[in-house]
Structures are given as structure tokens and as C-alpha cells.
């Protein structure tokens, strides 16, 4: 992928976030979008080597649209200033749907790439299942948190959207209570893009996401209570 062209385009889009500019530069966008699709396709192929559940994910469905949903947003800028994708089994990358851990990556105009994995703001049934899983498999979760490769690449689970008090029904003295308080369970890191060696992009991304696999595996083991039919 022409990473310098992409970052240049995204910087210009940030400065000209309006429909006339976007339409005028649509040929540039179309080329970059196709190149990004190729990156996502390669990424899925590499992920499938260690995570068979995402091996046949659809790269087109993994890619996020560039159009922003501005219906309830204070910022009415119509376009996102990043290219991003999320990969999950059966292409269920939306937390508002079934939930479940997802691999995520994004590139912005600053020449940086963010990538990670987990569940960001999961729906209530998943949130409950993950919290309960921390209680029932405390040792397994402790092992994930201490995984050397995961810690070296991502550090700790992001401390974002945390409750002030333990959720109802959970022991405030539990060893994982500070994680049980979380509303999201996601690990991520941000690195400089290999602008001069774009061929290294996918290998770097795949190696990093492989380090997140222990958390993904553990999250998939969280058992959800069956939903009663009306």
C-alpha cells in the first residue's frame, strides 16, 4: 500500500472535511480504498494462521465506512479521518449485535497505526458474561494478564469507562474487582507506520495481533446465559 499517499490524503481530508472536497478527490479515495482492502485481506489471511475462527472473514465487511454518523453528534464533519477495520468470526464486529472479541486496526494522517483486540463497550449480556468469567476463571484471567508477549506489546487492559463501585452481585474484595468494574475490555497500542517499507505493514500488524490472541481465546470462553424467548 502507498502509505505516504494515504497519510497525505487523510491529512488533507482533515483540513477539508466537506462533501465538495471529498467528491473532487474521489478518484484518490477509490484507489486508496482498494489498496486498504488488499491490506485487510492479507491481514485476515495472517490472522487465520493462528486463529482459525477468523480465517474466512470477509475483508469488505471488516472495513469501516468513511462516512460518519452525525445524527446525534455535535461535530457534523461528514467523514472520518482514518481508515479502519475490525475482524471477528462470522463478520460480527459490531458490539450492538452478538458481541465477542474483535481484532481492530486503524491508520490516520499523522503516520501512526493503532491496533488491538478485545471487546469495546460490549452489550449487557456480554458484559455480564465477561465479568462472571473473571470470577469463575480467576486463575485463567490472571495468566492472561501476565502473558509476557501480551504485556510487552500492549501493557494492561485499557482503563476506560470504569465504574466507581463494583457492579451489583460481585465481591468488592475479589482479586480482579478493578477489571470487573470496567465497561470495556480492550488492549491496544500505537506505533509509527513503516512509511519507507510498506511491505512490512501486514507482518508487523499480524505479529502484534498474535500477541493479543491469549486474551481473545479467554474471552471466547465466557459463557452467556441463554436468552428466554418471548
Amino acid at each position: 500500500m502507498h502509505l505516504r499517499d494515504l497519510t497525505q490524503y487523510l491529512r488533507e481530508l482533515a483540513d477539508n472535511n466537506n462533501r465538495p472536497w471529498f467528491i473532487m478527490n474521489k478518484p484518490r479515495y477509490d484507489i486508496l480504498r482498494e489498496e486498504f482492502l488488499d491490506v485487510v485481506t492479507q491481514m485476515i489471511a495472517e490472522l487465520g494462521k493462528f486463529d482459525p475462527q477468523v480465517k474466512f472473514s470477509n475483508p469488505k465487511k471488516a472495513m469501516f465506512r468513511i462516512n460518519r454518523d452525525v445524527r446525534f453528534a455535535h461535530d457534523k464533519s461528514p467523514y472520518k479521518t482514518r481508515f479502519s477495520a475490525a475482524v471477528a468470526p462470522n463478520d460480527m464486529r459490531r458490539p450492538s449485535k452478538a458481541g465477542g472479541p474483535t481484532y481492530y486496526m486503524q491508520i490516520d494522517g499523522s503516520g501512526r497505526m493503532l491496533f488491538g483486540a478485545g471487546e469495546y463497550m460490549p452489550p449487557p449480556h456480554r458484559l455480564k458474561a465477561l465479568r462472571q468469567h473473571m470470577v469463575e476463571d480467576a486463575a485463567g484471567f490472571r495468566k492472561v494478564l501476565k502473558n509476557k508477549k501480551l504485556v510487552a506489546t500492549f501493557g494492561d487492559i485499557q482503563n476506560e469507562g470504569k465504574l466507581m463501585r463494583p457492579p451489583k452481585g460481585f465481591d468488592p474484595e475479589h482479586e480482579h474487582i478493578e477489571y470487573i468494574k470496567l465497561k470495556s475490555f480492550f488492549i491496544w497500542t500505537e506505533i509509527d507506520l513503516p512509511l519507507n517499507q510498506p511491505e512490512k505493514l501486514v507482518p508487523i500488524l499480524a505479529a502484534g495481533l498474535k500477541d493479543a490472541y491469549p486474551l481473545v481465546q479467554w474471552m471466547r470462553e465466557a459463557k452467556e446465559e441463554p436468552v428466554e424467548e418471548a
Side-chain angles (χ1 to χ4, degrees):
M1 177 166 204
H2 294 87
L3 293 176
R4 289 190 180 279
D5 290 347
L6 174 58
T7 54
Q8 178 65 31
Y9 171 83
L10 292 173
R11 285 196 298 272
E12 292 179 29
L13 176 59
D15 292 334
N16 303 276
N17 203 324
N18 58 74
R19 181 171 173 77
W21 186 92
F22 185 82
I23 295 301
M24 185 178 299
N25 289 271
K26 187 66 162 47
R28 294 172 63 193
Y29 169 77
D30 289 341
I31 292 171
L32 292 168
R33 185 76 172 173
E34 283 299 313
E35 291 185 352
F36 187 65
L37 174 61
D38 184 56
V39 167
V40 175
T41 301
Q42 293 179 51
M43 181 180 84
I44 291 173
E46 292 300 314
L47 293 178
K49 292 179 181 179
F50 62 82
D51 187 350
Q53 290 199 35
V54 301
K55 186 175 182 179
F56 299 107
S57 297
N58 187 330
K60 289 185 177 180
K61 290 185 178 180
M63 295 166 62
F64 286 94
R65 298 170 67 245
I66 199 164
N67 301 79
R68 294 181 64 244
D69 183 353
V70 299
R71 289 174 298 173
F72 307 107
H74 177 70
D75 178 8
K76 298 300 181 181
S77 302
Y79 305 108
K80 300 171 186 173
T81 55
R82 63 184 181 273
F83 273 23
S84 56
V87 180
N90 302 316
D91 304 314
M92 297 295 288
R93 60 177 170 83
R94 301 289 187 181
S96 59
K97 295 184 179 179
T102 298
Y103 299 100
Y104 177 80
M105 64 87 73
Q106 72 176 43
I107 294 173
D108 63 30
S110 69
R112 303 278 286 174
M113 176 172 68
L114 181 150
F115 62 87
E119 298 189 46
Y120 182 77
M121 298 298 288
H125 70 282
R126 281 297 298 170
L127 186 58
K128 183 178 180 180
L130 289 166
R131 286 171 170 167
Q132 193 61 41
H133 193 32
M134 291 181 200
V135 174
E136 296 174 355
D137 186 27
F141 187 58
R142 189 187 319 121
K143 184 177 180 180
V144 170
L145 295 175
K146 293 181 178 180
N147 183 282
K148 290 183 179 180
K149 290 185 177 180
L150 185 149
V151 172
T153 301
F154 299 102
D156 202 356
I157 293 175
Q158 292 297 312
N159 190 8
E160 181 181 343
K162 190 174 184 179
L163 296 172
M164 295 294 292
R165 299 177 180 177
K168 185 178 179 180
F170 290 90
D171 180 4
E173 301 301 320
H174 192 275
E175 65 173 297
H176 299 315
I177 194 61
E178 293 305 314
Y179 294 99
I180 291 172
K181 289 180 184 178
L182 295 174
K183 297 180 182 179
S184 290
F185 303 95
F186 211 87
I187 53 175
W188 60 268
T189 190
E190 195 172 6
I191 64 171
D192 290 329
L193 286 168
L195 294 174
N196 297 321
Q197 296 175 298
E199 70 280 0
K200 291 187 175 182
L201 177 64
V202 173
I204 290 172
L205 184 58
L209 291 176
K210 185 176 182 179
D211 292 339
Y213 187 49
L215 177 63
V216 171
Q217 281 184 303
W218 182 88
M219 289 179 131
R220 286 179 182 159
E221 294 170 357
K223 297 178 181 179
E224 302 173 22
E225 294 181 2
V227 179
E228 296 183 3
E229 295 184 3

